[in-house]
Amino acid sequence: MEQYESVLKLLLEAVQMNLSSTEKKQGVPEIPVGISNRHVHLSQADVNALFGEGYELSPMKDLSQPGQYACKETVTICGPKGAIEKVRVLGPVRSKTQVEVLLGDSFKLGVVAPTRLSGDLQGTPGITLIGTKGSVQITEGLVAAQRHIHMSCEDAKALEVQDGEIVSIEVDGLRGGIYHNVAIRANDTSVLEFHVDTEEANALGVHSLSKIKIKK
Amino acid sequence: MEQYESVLKLLLEAVQMNLSSTEKKQGVPEIPVGISNRHVHLSQADVNALFGEGYELSPMKDLSQPGQYACKETVTICGPKGAIEKVRVLGPVRSKTQVEVLLGDSFKLGVVAPTRLSGDLQGTPGITLIGTKGSVQITEGLVAAQRHIHMSCEDAKALEVQDGEIVSIEVDGLRGGIYHNVAIRANDTSVLEFHVDTEEANALGVHSLSKIKIKK
């Protein structure tokens, strides 16, 4: 048993050494992939309208970005051409409601979602949301998320990029390719992760265990 | 009236000259985009099993590739995890049934569709199809289409590519990027068109009026 543990310890050290030497050789950390399906961020006023006055969202699962979580609550999104049910609410509440859909959802809803970075909602179209206790018609906030990479300031230094910079990323494989216009979002509360939606992930054949690299 | 026609003729000539000089300047034809949603090609034996003995598919709309058409008929695709209804049948019948889904459909169905070129079905998974008169369980034929460009041999010459060659294509715009491993399929019965599925089209923000270029 003791021997078994020694071997295990040696193996673990070897793996760790190998990992760190790989990182050192490449000089940059590998970037994990976070894949988002359609989802909504809600203001407290809209939470009240959708789920009842003073309602508090129920956290269900932590997301990789610190403090962010998927909630038990879902809403229905309704446009002039159709509705999409069971769209996950993400918490915590925000100052403004933001509805992030796939570009393909635009056709179902009958409203074209412009590609925007999170929070950049000026001039975006509105949409109707339906909850268990009521509905709200937001006048702006429907977007398709622009591809971006969250990271700490330390990661940004290692990756030789800056907050706000626009880069391209590359993925290998049969469905491999390059995405341009990927925004760097660096601050000290973020964890390194490339964010894409399900259509973008499927198009390049990446999944939750994939790693991508920035192409200079 | 005569003057009006003269002006029109002059204008038309100017436009045509401008178009041809643009083509000459670029040296290559522009490549239109054809976007496929999930669909099935059926063998006559499977048509019989799904819609009745001796049934003939009903053409509904011609596709851009000569002789190919969308049919009035649809089928339901069933996997161990779920079903997808109203999947369009494309005609004419083929020697083997081929079910082309989106990568995202793999999750709904519970079967991973490998990325393959049309006709390359060896070792691909099977799936169950349901029609109005019965169902068939195919033992292979479920694929996600590999990106490809159909073209005539003349187009291939102008684009300086060959049948079977693998190229990359580039798209501009906010969602722009590059797809690698795009197969050239050149023969004298094909019309120039870059084929992608809806996820791939949305990921790069291309639509039916977009043009793409081969990146050497």
Side-chain angles (χ1 to χ4, degrees), chain B residues 5-211:
Chain B
E5 277 181 16
S6 310
V7 170
L8 236 155
K9 203 179 153 201
L10 277 170
L11 265 172
L12 190 65
E13 280 171 6
V15 168
Q16 282 171 335
M17 269 180 67
N18 192 42
L19 280 181
S20 63
S21 82
T22 309
E23 270 190 21
K24 211 170 274 172
K25 203 161 56 194
Q26 295 180 341
V28 291
E30 285 193 304
I31 305 173
V33 177
I35 302 170
S36 302
N37 203 343
R38 61 184 75 88
H39 62 269
V40 303
H41 302 278
L42 296 173
S43 67
Q44 186 58 49
D46 288 343
V47 168
N48 295 348
L50 293 166
F51 300 104
E53 197 59 35
Y55 187 88
E56 280 184 32
L57 294 173
S58 317
M60 184 178 69
K61 190 187 166 195
D62 282 340
L63 301 179
S64 51
Q65 295 306 314
Q68 305 291 308
Y69 49 86
C71 301
K72 287 183 186 155
E73 291 78 10
T74 62
V75 294
T76 297
I77 312 177
C78 294
K81 265 189 67 183
I84 301 174
E85 296 177 334
K86 293 184 185 158
V87 179
R88 186 65 54 193
V89 177
L90 301 191
V93 291
R94 293 194 175 184
S95 59
K96 289 195 79 174
T97 289
Q98 177 172 314
V99 180
E100 297 184 42
V101 294
L102 310 176
L103 219 61
D105 293 342
S106 291
F107 305 104
K108 277 183 233 164
L109 296 170
V111 190
V112 175
T115 300
R116 293 288 183 94
L117 282 174
S118 193
D120 176 18
L121 304 182
Q122 201 173 8
T124 60
I127 197 83
T128 299
L129 304 178
I130 299 176
T132 52
K133 292 284 169 65
S135 69
V136 286
Q137 194 166 352
I138 60 169
T139 54
E140 64 177 24
L142 181 75
V143 298
Q146 185 179 341
R147 302 183 270 256
H148 56 277
I149 309 175
H150 291 290
M151 62 180 68
S152 67
C153 298
E154 200 180 324
D155 293 327
K157 211 170 157 184
L159 289 158
E160 297 178 340
V161 293
Q162 291 189 320
D163 183 46
E165 192 176 337
I166 302 295
V167 300
S168 294
I169 66 93
E170 183 154 28
V171 172
D172 297 328
L174 185 54
R175 288 202 157 211
I178 294 169
Y179 283 148
H180 298 320
N181 298 322
V182 177
I184 301 295
R185 308 206 83 173
N187 62 58
D188 280 329
T189 61
S190 292
V191 166
L192 185 62
E193 196 170 51
F194 171 53
H195 275 197
V196 278
D197 65 33
T198 55
E199 291 182 321
E200 293 167 329
N202 290 336
L204 285 199
V206 298
H207 48 73
S208 59
L209 298 177
S210 302
K211 307 283 184 194

Side-chain angles (χ1 to χ4, degrees), chain A residues 19-203:
Chain A
L19 280 180
S20 63
S21 80
T22 309
E23 273 190 19
K24 210 168 276 173
K25 202 163 55 194
Q26 295 181 341
V28 290
E30 285 192 303
I31 305 173
V33 176
I35 302 169
S36 303
N37 203 342
R38 61 184 76 89
H39 62 270
V40 302
H41 302 277
L42 296 174
S43 67
Q44 185 59 49
D46 288 343
V47 168
N48 294 348
L50 293 166
F51 299 105
E53 197 58 33
Y55 187 88
E56 281 184 30
L57 294 173
S58 318
M60 185 177 69
K61 191 187 166 195
D62 282 340
L63 301 179
S64 50
Q65 294 306 312
Q68 305 291 309
Y69 48 86
C71 300
K72 286 183 187 155
E73 291 79 10
T74 62
V75 295
T76 297
I77 312 177
C78 293
K81 265 189 68 182
I84 302 175
E85 296 177 334
K86 293 183 185 160
V87 178
R88 186 65 54 193
V89 177
L90 302 191
V93 292
R94 293 195 175 183
S95 59
K96 289 195 79 174
T97 289
Q98 176 171 314
V99 179
E100 297 184 42
V101 295
L102 311 175
L103 218 62
D105 293 341
S106 291
F107 304 104
K108 276 182 232 164
L109 296 170
V111 191
V112 175
T115 300
R116 292 288 184 95
L117 283 174
S118 193
D120 176 18
L121 304 182
Q122 201 173 8
T124 60
I127 197 84
T128 299
L129 304 178
I130 300 176
T132 52
K133 292 283 169 65
S135 69
V136 285
Q137 194 166 352
I138 59 169
T139 55
E140 63 177 25
L142 182 75
V143 298
Q146 185 179 340
R147 302 184 269 255
H148 55 277
I149 309 175
H150 290 291
M151 61 180 69
S152 67
C153 297
E154 201 181 323
D155 293 326
K157 211 170 155 185
L159 289 158
E160 297 177 340
V161 293
Q162 292 188 320
D163 181 46
E165 193 176 335
I166 301 296
V167 300
S168 294
I169 65 95
E170 182 153 28
V171 171
D172 297 328
L174 185 55
R175 287 202 158 211
I178 294 169
Y179 283 148
H180 298 319
N181 298 321
V182 177
I184 301 295
R185 309 206 82 176
N187 62 58
D188 280 329
T189 61
S190 292
V191 166
L192 186 61
E193 196 169 49
F194 170 55
H195 274 198
V196 279
D197 66 32
T198 55
E199 291 182 323
E200 292 167 330
N202 290 336

